[in-house]
């Protein structure tokens, strides 16, 4: 029904989370109505995004280029503390509170319904390796307060304790079943401050 190139874009947009086919049609029509120049800037930014955004080789947060992310590179941040989160949006949420000055480690998910193969992709061994390398005194496990997040936290805590570091979990300000990414800054700040030993 739509021109072929138009239809292709609809399919790309429909594959995005929370975008249904109708919404995708509207978005593509909106793009079509843009000035060609704007559209070309959009395309260029998309290409840059595809080519330049990578995972930080140290903490697996998002990074521009091949090197370490801006947080890992920041000499003012304490490398004695690592805050473990499920995904990069959780880093952003915690950064917004301005209450945390350590480093991060992004697992890339949690130990849930995933297949063994998917679990293998989580950056768990990379975390243990960072701790084993020394210099880390505390690991704050800030996985989401869901059953899966809790399971992951317990699993990590058991192993991390054998490595001789203090392991803490965010306080329960965030509702159970909730998502750190969506917690408001005040709730998240108090959850960081009230963290408890696991
Ligand atoms: Zn990093």
């Amino acid at each position: 029904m739509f021109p072929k190139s138009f239809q292709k874009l609809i399919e790309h947009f429909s594959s995005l989370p929370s975008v249904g086919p109708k919404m995708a049609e509207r978005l593509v029509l909106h793009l079509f109505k843009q000035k060609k120049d704007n559209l070309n800037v959009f395309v260029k930014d998309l290409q840059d995004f595809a080519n330049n955004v990578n995972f930080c080789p140290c903490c697996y947060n998002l990074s521009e280029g091949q090197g370490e992310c801006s947080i890992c590179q920041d000499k003012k941040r304490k490398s004695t503390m690592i805050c473990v989160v499920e995904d990069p949006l959780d880093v952003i949420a915690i950064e917004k509170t301005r209450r945390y000055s350590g480093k991060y480690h992004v697992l890339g998910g949690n130990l849930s319904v995933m297949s063994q193969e998917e679990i293998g992709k989580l950056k768990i061994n990379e975390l243990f390796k960072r701790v084993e390398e020394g210099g880390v005194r505390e690991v704050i496990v800030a996985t989401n307060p869901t059953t899966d997040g809790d399971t992951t936290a317990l699993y990590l805590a058991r192993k991390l304790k054998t490595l001789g570091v203090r392991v803490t979990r965010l306080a329960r300000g965030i509702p159970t079943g909730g998502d750190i990414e969506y917690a408001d800054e005040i709730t998240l700040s108090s959850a960081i401050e009230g963290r408890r030993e696991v």
Side-chain angles (χ1 to χ4, degrees), residues 107-111 114 118-126:
L107 293 175
N110 58 39
L111 296 171
M114 298 192 299
E118 282 173 297
I119 288 173
K121 283 187 196 150
L122 296 180
K123 303 298 178 191
I124 291 177
N125 289 332
E126 287 80 353

Side-chain angles (χ1 to χ4, degrees), residues 27-157:
L27 290 172
V28 178
L29 184 61
H30 176 80
L31 280 182
F32 173 70
K33 288 176 181 167
Q34 298 283 304
K35 287 201 181 97
K36 281 268 184 287
D37 284 355
N38 290 354
L39 218 49
N40 285 329
V41 171
F42 183 62
V43 170
K44 163 89 171 51
D45 288 346
L46 207 55
Q47 272 170 341
D48 288 348
F49 165 81
N51 295 328
N52 300 346
V53 182
N54 291 298
F55 288 113
C56 169
C58 177
C59 74
Y60 302 93
N61 186 17
L62 302 176
S63 178
E64 185 83 23
Q66 298 292 333
E68 291 187 348
C69 70
S70 54
I71 295 175
C72 282
Q73 283 187 41
D74 188 346
K75 297 270 183 285
K76 283 190 227 111
R77 310 219 32 151
K78 289 183 205 138
S79 43
T80 52
M81 274 175 126
I82 293 180
C83 180
V84 181
V85 294
E86 292 183 20
D87 73 55
L89 299 181
D90 299 331
V91 173
I92 305 290
I94 294 174
E95 283 301 284
K96 279 189 189 154
T97 68
R98 298 171 180 276
R99 294 293 168 93
Y100 180 68
S101 55
K103 304 269 171 105
Y104 289 93
H105 192 88
V106 183
L107 293 175
N110 58 39
L111 296 171
S112 58
V113 284
M114 298 192 299
S115 64
Q116 277 302 319
E117 191 194 352
E118 282 173 297
I119 288 173
K121 283 187 196 150
L122 296 180
K123 303 298 178 191
I124 291 177
N125 289 332
E126 287 80 353
L127 169 67
F128 296 153
K129 205 169 146 235
R130 278 179 80 185
V131 174
E132 277 163 356
E133 279 166 3
V136 178
R137 271 188 244 130
E138 179 178 351
V139 176
I140 304 169
V141 185
T143 48
N144 288 324
T146 56
T147 313
D148 294 334
D150 284 342
T151 308
T152 311
L154 270 181
Y155 174 80
L156 295 179

